[in-house]
Amino acid sequence: MRTRILIVEDEADMRRAFHLLLSRTELEVVGEAADGREALRVAAEVRPDVVVTDLWMARLNGWDAIRLLREARPETRAVAVSALDGAFAVYRALEAGAAGFVSKYSMPTELAAGLEAVARGGSFFCSRIGGEPLRQAHAWQQDPASAPKDPLTLPERLVLQLWVEDYSVGDSAKNLGKSVKTVESHRAHIMRKLGMRDRRELWRYAVERHIARPRDLEWEIVMGGW
């Protein structure tokens, strides 16, 4: 049987590029989604063998989407594909349960090979991140105390992303399938844990930790760091 692939990517042109590339292989694209939250719904319907997902997406970023997909369907494997390919991005993908990571700067030459390796039960990391970024990510995995700290729980991260993307408490509750009271409680916990009162501080924190995607003027926050 052909390996069933779900493409998760917020840019339509990139989704088309994935389709074109994978049409030349034995891999079968069975679905696509424009963000992590849509990916959860589509994955439940099409039951893919491998999810190939971008990481910086609105509503639900790719890292947390991988974690939730893996919790719902442990048999489905995930490959992260991103222009953000530093050690912290790789570390977060590994912690979420990704079996592979391909830099968008390494496409299209390494994506198909990576998906095929992961579909066979292996792992794959493209040549661009296979050196220092992967070494550092593994070092953080082996010594979590040395890794960049994130005091937020997964539910709190989900609330924070919607919050800094300007979703109201009510809309956040609807997106998450939670009560307004629960969202308000998470917001209060976030503020207390991070010791922040200013919305700009929250946004910067979310961008630096790859929880939310930066706006164009804030791109420099992350491009020289993790």
Side-chain angles (χ1 to χ4, degrees):
M1 295 178 63
R2 299 176 69 185
T3 298
R4 297 162 56 82
I5 305 293
L6 169 61
I7 297 171
V8 187
E9 164 63 53
D10 60 351
E11 296 184 12
D13 287 345
M14 186 62 71
R15 291 198 300 273
R16 284 192 287 270
F18 284 161
H19 272 277
L20 178 60
L21 174 62
L22 298 181
S23 69
R24 303 167 183 168
T25 72
E26 293 303 311
L27 305 169
E28 179 185 7
V29 176
V30 295
E32 63 178 57
D35 61 49
R37 197 149 300 283
E38 185 181 4
L40 298 178
R41 177 184 61 77
V42 176
E45 295 173 357
V46 303
R47 299 176 179 273
D49 299 308
V50 181
V51 174
V52 51
T53 180
D54 191 13
L55 294 177
W56 256 339
M57 297 181 293
R59 293 207 302 162
L60 177 61
N61 64 71
W63 293 276
D64 288 330
I66 290 172
R67 191 180 300 276
L68 291 170
L69 283 164
R70 293 280 295 154
E71 288 178 359
R73 290 183 50 81
E75 67 275 22
T76 296
R77 313 199 79 207
V79 174
V81 180
S82 180
L84 188 66
D85 52 16
F88 185 63
V90 178
Y91 170 70
R92 281 206 64 199
L94 291 173
E95 286 294 289
F101 197 114
V102 178
S103 169
K104 285 187 177 179
Y105 299 108
S106 296
M107 292 178 56
T109 56
E110 297 188 68
L111 178 60
L115 291 177
E116 288 168 351
V118 168
R120 292 193 298 268
S123 59
F124 183 89
F125 300 91
C126 71
S127 55
R128 184 179 174 93
I129 68 158
E132 179 58 24
L134 186 59
R135 186 204 65 77
Q136 181 61 71
H138 280 154
W140 284 333
Q141 275 194 307
Q142 293 164 10
D143 181 17
S146 68
K149 301 297 185 293
D150 181 5
L152 302 183
T153 64
L154 175 59
E156 289 166 352
R157 287 201 306 272
L158 302 182
V159 168
L160 177 59
Q161 178 170 1
L162 293 173
W163 191 0
V164 299
E165 289 176 356
D166 297 326
Y167 282 82
S168 68
V169 171
D171 286 341
S172 294
K174 186 180 299 184
N175 268 275
L176 297 170
K178 304 294 182 181
S179 69
V180 167
K181 184 176 180 180
T182 296
V183 172
E184 289 175 337
S185 177
H186 284 317
R187 286 191 174 194
H189 291 161
I190 290 166
M191 297 294 275
R192 186 178 69 252
K193 283 184 176 182
L194 300 183
M196 296 177 182
R197 297 180 179 277
D198 181 78
R199 187 178 179 82
R200 172 75 181 185
E201 287 183 308
L202 283 174
W203 179 259
R204 185 182 182 91
Y205 179 90
V207 170
E208 288 179 337
R209 296 306 190 280
H210 303 344
I211 296 168
R213 187 173 188 166
R215 301 183 180 97
D216 291 342
L217 294 178
E218 292 160 324
W219 182 253
E220 71 276 6
I221 293 174
V222 294
M223 288 311 290
W226 297 337

